[in-house]
Amino acid sequence: MDKPKATRGRQLNIKANDEEKALLEKVAKTRGLSSSGLVRMLVADEARRLGIL
């Protein structure tokens, strides 16, 4: 029986220069997260701070 194809999540492209990208990756690595995981965490934290979540 064929397995259903896995669907990818939606992508978000962020424009960043080399220094910004390196900083994002360094912070994510220090936190033990992927770059996308760090962005998701930061957005959720900010939404809670603003009372959106």
Side-chain angles (χ1 to χ4, degrees):
M1 180 170 239
D2 292 336
K3 290 184 179 180
K5 288 185 179 181
T7 58
R8 288 178 49 155
R10 296 189 61 146
Q11 286 190 329
L12 172 69
N13 295 314
I14 299 172
K15 188 174 183 175
N17 63 35
D18 291 340
E19 293 166 352
E20 292 165 333
K21 184 176 183 280
L23 181 59
L24 174 69
E25 291 170 346
K26 187 173 185 178
V27 172
K29 183 178 180 182
T30 300
R31 289 268 186 183
L33 299 167
S34 64
S35 294
S36 59
L38 175 63
V39 171
R40 286 191 302 269
M41 182 192 77
L42 292 171
V43 169
D45 288 349
E46 184 66 5
R48 281 190 289 276
R49 188 184 75 77
L50 294 170
I52 297 170
L53 280 179

